Amino acid sequence: MSDKIKVISVKNISKSFRVPKKPKSTLKKIANLFVKAKKKKQIIKDLSFDIYKGDIVGYIGENGSGKSTTIKMLTGIYPPSSGKITCLGKNPFEQRIDYVKDIGVVFGNKSLLNQDIAPIYSIELQAAIYDIPEKLAKKKINQFAKKLQVEKLLKTPVRKLSLGERMKFEIIASLLHNPKIIFLDEPTIGLDVIARERMIQFLKTVNEKEKTTIFLTTHNMDDIEEICNKIIILDYGKKVYDGNLKELKEIYANWKRITIVYNEKYNPFCDRDLEIIEKTDNVIVFKAPNKKLEEYLNKITNCFEIIDLKIEEPTLKEIVKRIYADGYVPK
Amino acid sequence: MAMYQSKYFFKLLEFQWERTKAYPIRLIISLSWVIFGFIPQFFFWYIIAQSTNTLPYTTKEIILYFLFSMGLFYNLNQINQYFNTIARGEVVTSVIKPMSLTANYFSIFFSTIFINKLPNLIIITIIGCFIVGITSSILAAIFFLFGLILGCTFFVCFFLLMFWMRNNWGVKWGIDILILFASGTWIPLDILPKFWGGLLLNLPFQLMFYTPAKIFLGQITPTFWLILQYVFWIIILYIIARILEYYGLKYYEQLGG
């Protein structure tokens, strides 16, 4: 899985921002016209984690939980208010110019490509920034474009491309210089199923071939389940989980989902003691604690005339939803 | 390092040229603005030159002065789009590049203005070759490029101030006026009242236009001392830009993705 070479070390970092403060008194409102009153808002609170070479890390959290802020600190855009970050042995903010040569970054909503012209020009410009010889850059661009099936679109103006196609070119631009770490801030946002699938496969290949560490923020739990070997869950700036997916499921997935399709005959008093997640016309989804699984199955089979029955592990989405609701992970 | 940055710079020129080609109408509009801007200036200064003999310029010289300054003047309009990148958070795509923001934005500003002004520069140099002579025209073109380097370094300093000011149109407008006035684009500095003329001639802005325009007219002979003045101000502004960059990034806050 990983060579256990630490590539990212985050130690007790916090980040606060100055946000506008609404003045209460008239005098303060007048003063606010000239000098804006501000208050401090803590976005990241005492966050620590380590990431090793070759890891694919899913960094998840609700909107406003500090995911993008963490990526910006890890990429050297701004420093933490307190604490220490070491990436590839460097301080990302203080040694930014040297450090960013070894990383690739894709921001889901901030483009590296110029909208007016074809992506090839922006990508070639990117190659020049990283001092990649022109021939090699062209070879790599074609190779990546072929893998992501966008080679025919290299000379189409960016504004005429779909979101998925644009995102593929963003990834090509950020991978040209063989970065040791790739930071992806919501890369699958707005992509259709096929485009998403291709991108995930491409990232998997890059990770396997080059041992590239991938740090990914997303709201799509399928992305996490498909490629990540480690996940970090953030809840309003605080880390609530840091470990692998299997462990998370072991800790939190202490129940099973039982889905039944039954005949119309149904006794409404029969499912009184059973926890139900979802109920439609003739389908019911039960949430059965692992310890009571047998009891649930007995009751269900006695109460309903079952056409179909399915027992599943809870999905990551359900687990994460529960973590957000509870705010912590039981140890 | 310098080698690869120059490689990037030439690639950037190519990139800006592609952008210009994508919307050729913009180039035509920009050229037509120069012509429309030149016509009132021409009549204004023609009337002044005809009605007074205290002007230290002949009618031909004053027209040539404004042909040079109106044809080549640059202001923040050409690079305005980049000034909003800090407020919109798009500056992060530049911060993740392995070069200083100063070097990156200098290259962007220079290439944008250079590609925009290249047709005018060629036309004015050719016209100048016939009217004022080849040496003056070519020297003026070279010193215009020195002035452009100085101007772009100044614009980078101003751009980096946006970390604190964000999108301040009033200040931008003020800087535009300052440059157009203090560089002698609107009024030749030697016809201003003694105090103002003397003051502005000691500031770096005059090196952006006034000096190249005077070289064009053959009224100033370039010396080594003059080149040193350009170098001095470029170094000073570069140091200021790097300080602003460091503290600007430290001050920078951008919530959300």
Side-chain angles (χ1 to χ4, degrees):
Chain A
M1 186 181 70
S2 74
D3 297 324
K4 287 290 169 197
I5 298 170
K6 204 186 278 181
V7 287
I8 298 176
S9 163
V10 173
K11 294 257 177 289
N12 310 102
I13 61 159
S14 299
K15 182 74 185 171
S16 305
F17 287 128
R18 293 174 294 265
V19 293
K21 190 179 161 188
K22 216 176 174 185
K24 282 174 188 162
S25 69
T26 318
L27 204 67
K28 280 183 180 168
K29 276 179 190 165
I30 295 166
N32 202 44
L33 292 173
F34 303 97
V35 183
K36 296 267 178 245
K38 288 189 174 172
K39 62 178 178 187
K40 274 197 171 182
K41 186 181 178 189
Q42 197 167 20
I43 306 296
I44 301 287
K45 295 159 195 159
D46 196 28
L47 179 67
S48 300
F49 57 81
D50 292 322
I51 291 167
Y52 296 90
K53 191 181 174 186
D55 275 348
I56 305 184
V57 183
Y59 196 61
I60 50 181
E62 285 177 289
N63 289 332
S65 60
K67 301 185 299 293
S68 299
T69 302
T70 314
I71 285 216
K72 281 177 190 149
M73 287 190 284
L74 292 176
T75 51
I77 291 167
Y78 39 61
S81 305
S82 66
K84 196 182 169 192
I85 300 177
T86 312
C87 295
L88 300 169
K90 294 180 185 106
N91 178 325
F93 182 75
E94 296 294 340
Q95 295 165 281
R96 178 176 64 83
I97 295 174
D98 215 19
Y99 164 66
V100 295
K101 283 178 193 161
D102 291 325
I103 63 165
V105 189
V106 175
F107 294 107
N109 51 7
K110 285 183 188 70
S111 184
L112 289 168
L113 313 169
N114 190 290
Q115 303 296 306
D116 300 333
I117 53 177
I120 182 80
Y121 299 112
S122 299
I123 299 172
E124 280 180 355
L125 184 69
Q126 190 79 357
I129 293 172
Y130 289 97
D131 198 23
I132 303 169
E134 221 166 307
K135 266 190 182 174
L136 181 67
K138 277 197 173 129
K139 195 181 152 193
K140 274 189 154 182
I141 295 167
N142 287 327
Q143 194 185 325
F144 286 157
K146 213 170 178 183
K147 269 186 192 164
L148 286 166
Q149 298 185 336
V150 283
E151 72 269 36
K152 283 179 188 159
L153 301 169
L154 275 165
K155 293 205 167 162
T156 308
V158 172
R159 63 175 185 279
K160 290 184 181 169
L161 300 176
S162 71
L163 185 64
E165 288 158 351
R166 242 181 297 167
M167 197 49 85
K168 285 176 187 172
F169 284 118
E170 295 278 349
I171 292 208
I172 294 173
S174 65
L175 285 178
L176 273 185
H177 57 291
N178 282 345
K180 290 175 183 154
I181 310 173
I182 311 170
F183 294 94
L184 302 156
D185 194 1
E186 297 182 31
T188 54
I189 195 168
L191 298 194
D192 64 50
V193 184
I194 298 163
R196 195 194 131 267
E197 188 63 35
R198 256 184 217 136
M199 192 173 292
I200 294 289
Q201 275 311 318
F202 180 71
L203 291 172
K204 259 185 183 174
T205 317
V206 171
N207 168 263
E208 279 162 16
K209 255 178 124 177
E210 315 280 343
K211 285 271 168 238
T212 310
T213 307
I214 299 175
F215 190 90
L216 172 89
T217 77
T218 182
H219 287 291
N220 190 336
M221 293 306 138
D222 296 337
D223 293 351
I224 305 278
E225 286 209 273
E226 272 179 57
I227 60 167
C228 297
N229 62 354
K230 176 183 171 96
I231 61 170
I232 297 172
I233 303 175
L234 212 60
D235 187 31
Y236 290 98
K238 268 192 156 181
K239 185 178 79 178
V240 288
Y241 181 76
D242 177 2
N244 64 40
L245 201 58
K246 203 178 148 206
E247 274 170 14
L248 180 75
K249 283 191 171 175
E250 273 167 16
I251 296 168
Y252 228 84
N254 51 1
W255 57 278
K256 296 262 185 311
R257 162 207 287 272
I258 305 172
T259 310
I260 59 159
V261 182
Y262 60 96
N263 248 339
E264 277 164 13
K265 287 172 202 164
Y266 167 57
N267 177 0
F269 300 104
C270 207
D271 60 4
R272 258 199 319 203
D273 304 329
L274 309 176
E275 196 178 334
I276 293 173
I277 301 174
E278 213 181 313
K279 195 174 187 178
T280 49
D281 288 347
N282 58 343
V283 177
I284 304 181
V285 183
F286 296 96
K287 184 179 175 182
N290 285 348
K291 286 177 190 167
K292 292 183 178 176
L293 189 62
E294 210 181 315
E295 186 189 325
Y296 263 67
L297 284 171
N298 281 336
K299 275 192 180 173
I300 290 166
T301 44
N302 289 334
C303 291
F304 301 93
E305 200 176 302
I306 292 167
I307 300 170
D308 194 15
L309 183 144
K310 202 160 63 179
I311 304 171
E312 294 163 303
E313 293 275 345
T315 62
L316 182 60
K317 198 172 162 184
E318 283 166 323
I319 295 172
V320 172
K321 225 164 123 182
R322 195 163 161 207
I323 291 172
Y324 291 157
D326 294 355
Y328 72 98
V329 179
K331 298 284 175 205
Chain B
M1 183 81 173
M3 194 48 197
Y4 105 78
Q5 289 207 350
S6 62
K7 193 172 140 191
Y8 164 65
F9 182 72
F10 286 112
K11 200 78 198 170
L12 195 58
L13 281 177
E14 193 188 323
F15 177 82
Q16 298 291 10
W17 176 239
E18 286 302 329
R19 281 189 69 195
T20 311
K21 272 197 331 195
Y23 295 104
I25 195 79
R26 280 187 197 163
L27 202 65
I28 295 163
I29 290 170
S30 145
L31 272 168
S32 54
W33 272 114
V34 170
I35 295 162
F36 287 127
F38 181 69
I39 293 168
Q41 288 276 351
F42 170 80
F43 284 111
F44 181 74
W45 288 100
Y46 181 78
I47 293 162
I48 289 180
Q50 291 291 309
S51 58
T52 176
N53 51 7
T54 54
L55 215 59
Y57 294 92
T58 63
T59 309
K60 183 186 149 191
E61 280 172 342
I62 201 84
I63 289 166
L64 281 174
Y65 184 96
F66 283 102
L67 175 74
F68 191 85
S69 67
M70 294 310 292
L72 296 175
F73 91 97
Y74 50 90
N75 57 14
L76 291 183
N77 287 343
Q78 290 153 19
I79 48 172
N80 240 336
Q81 50 178 318
Y82 299 107
F83 276 76
N84 300 329
T85 55
I86 291 179
R88 287 201 301 248
E90 286 156 11
V91 71
V92 299
T93 56
S94 295
V95 183
I96 54 167
K97 286 173 184 164
M99 63 198 309
S100 66
L101 276 186
T102 304
N104 193 20
Y105 275 90
F106 170 82
S107 310
I108 291 171
F109 293 169
F110 186 89
S111 56
T112 308
I113 298 172
F114 180 76
I115 291 293
N116 264 287
K117 291 297 165 195
L118 190 62
N120 300 12
L121 186 64
I122 293 169
I123 292 167
I124 289 167
T125 312
I126 292 169
I127 292 173
C129 285
F130 291 105
I131 304 175
V132 296
I134 295 172
T135 319
S136 292
S137 301
I138 292 176
L139 277 173
I142 293 168
F143 274 82
F144 165 75
L145 291 178
F146 284 165
L148 184 56
I149 294 171
L150 181 70
C152 289
T153 323
F154 176 75
F155 286 153
V156 172
C157 290
F158 178 54
F159 162 77
L160 292 166
L161 282 177
M162 292 295 158
F163 277 116
W164 291 273
M165 295 192 295
R166 295 294 170 118
N167 194 5
N168 198 325
W169 286 96
V171 181
K172 271 192 218 170
W173 185 74
I175 296 281
D176 249 4
I177 303 282
L178 172 75
I179 288 171
L180 290 172
F181 179 64
S183 66
T185 308
W186 277 345
I187 305 165
L189 300 181
D190 49 359
I191 63 170
L192 286 175
K194 211 175 173 185
F195 171 77
W196 293 105
L199 177 76
L200 294 178
L201 282 169
N202 282 304
L203 292 176
F205 306 105
Q206 53 97 7
L207 295 169
M208 288 155 68
F209 265 113
Y210 178 73
T211 303
K214 291 289 257 186
I215 293 170
F216 187 65
L217 297 180
Q219 292 180 357
I220 290 180
T221 315
T223 56
F224 183 64
W225 171 241
L226 186 63
I227 295 170
L228 272 186
Q229 280 186 53
Y230 277 96
V231 175
F232 170 78
W233 282 112
I234 289 167
I235 291 172
I236 293 290
L237 289 170
Y238 175 78
I239 293 167
I240 294 172
R242 288 308 304 265
I243 295 168
L244 289 173
E245 177 183 340
Y246 181 79
Y247 287 102
L249 281 171
K250 256 194 161 170
Y251 181 82
Y252 184 58
E253 290 181 343
Q254 184 72 41
L255 267 158

